[in-house]
């Protein structure tokens, strides 16, 4: 079995993760999806349908043909597709780190959620971007290391199952069949 180095960063209270993403307007988008459904969106939809415990699943990476435009290109919030990635999203894509974010002290999040940002992999095990999993309504005490480890294990299982369905990064942008 291939061993992967895993670096975990825990986002602390007051982190600005996702702050700009939810308010981006059409003028701020750096990519427009094609008129047809892409394979990446199909995978996101399938994951959401199979896992009702999730609040969202989003796929991020470089815009096709670009070397510096990182974006959300598929996910459970269609209005956010094409929004530029935040610096923490780009760090996950570029550095291969995982961010475990229990959303400590975030009273404005509704519903409450627990977020894991981790490298998205293809079927060969190569890091090809970022996948973000958000679970809804975590337990009130979901800010301890046991809960963080539990969510990280769940995210690894979901990500590894997703990877088996991704032959290449380019395939994520192909027409969903």
């Amino acid at each position: 079995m291939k061993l992967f180095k895993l670096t975990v960063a825990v986002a602390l209270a007051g982190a600005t993760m996702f702050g700009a993403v939810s308010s981006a307007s059409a003028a701020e988008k750096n990519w427009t999806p094609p008129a047809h459904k892409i394979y990446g969106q199909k995978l996101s939809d399938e994951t959401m349908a199979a896992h009702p415990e999730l609040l969202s699943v989003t796929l991020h990476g470089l815009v096709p043909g670009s070397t510096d435009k990182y974006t959300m290109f598929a996910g459970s919030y269609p209005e956010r597709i094409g929004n530029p990635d935040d610096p923490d999203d780009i760090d996950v894509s570029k550095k291969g780190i995982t961010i475990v974010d229990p959303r400590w002290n975030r009273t404005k999040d509704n519903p409450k959620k627990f977020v894991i940002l981790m490298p998205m992999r293809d079927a060969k095990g190569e890091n090809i971007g970022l996948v973000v999993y958000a679970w809804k309504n975590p337990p009130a005490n979901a800010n301890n290391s046991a809960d963080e480890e539990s969510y990280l294990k769940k995210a690894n299982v979901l990500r590894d199952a997703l990877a088996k369905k991704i032959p290449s990064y380019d395939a994520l942008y192909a027409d969903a069949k």
Side-chain angles (χ1 to χ4, degrees):
M1 175 181 259
K2 210 174 185 184
L3 295 176
F4 293 96
K5 181 179 175 186
L6 174 65
T7 304
V8 177
V10 177
L12 300 175
T16 59
M17 296 173 65
F18 305 109
V21 172
S22 63
S23 62
S25 69
E28 296 170 331
K29 295 190 179 293
N30 67 0
W31 181 70
T32 303
H36 63 274
K37 182 187 261 190
I38 62 170
Y39 182 59
Q41 185 62 48
K42 178 181 176 184
L43 293 175
S44 175
D45 293 347
E46 288 174 354
T47 301
M48 287 299 296
H51 296 279
E53 71 278 14
L54 290 173
L55 179 63
S56 66
V57 157
T58 58
L59 307 181
H60 303 246
L62 282 170
V63 171
S66 170
T67 58
D68 64 347
K69 290 184 182 178
Y70 290 86
T71 191
M72 185 180 108
F73 62 84
S76 44
Y77 291 103
E79 70 278 6
R80 294 184 184 173
I81 292 173
N83 285 355
D85 279 350
D86 289 333
D88 52 345
D89 298 327
I90 296 169
D91 279 345
V92 172
S93 289
K94 285 184 171 183
K95 298 175 183 176
I97 62 172
T98 293
I99 298 175
V100 176
D101 180 9
R103 298 275 133 159
W104 292 339
N105 300 322
R106 290 186 56 119
T107 57
K108 294 180 183 178
D109 283 351
N110 195 9
K112 299 295 183 201
K113 58 187 167 183
F114 194 104
V115 180
I116 304 277
L117 296 85
M118 62 192 336
M120 179 172 46
R121 295 187 178 139
D122 64 16
K124 293 175 262 173
E126 297 296 321
N127 290 349
I128 58 169
L130 158 72
V131 59
V132 180
Y133 296 106
W135 282 266
K136 53 187 165 187
N137 301 316
N141 64 345
N143 62 358
N144 64 56
S145 60
D147 284 325
E148 290 173 3
E149 186 175 340
S150 173
Y151 280 108
L152 180 59
K153 285 180 181 179
K154 292 175 188 179
N156 278 322
V157 168
L158 290 171
R159 189 264 315 270
D160 292 348
L162 180 69
K164 292 175 184 176
K165 299 176 182 180
I166 304 173
S168 69
Y169 185 73
D170 290 340
L172 292 168
Y173 290 90
D175 189 4
K177 297 173 181 164

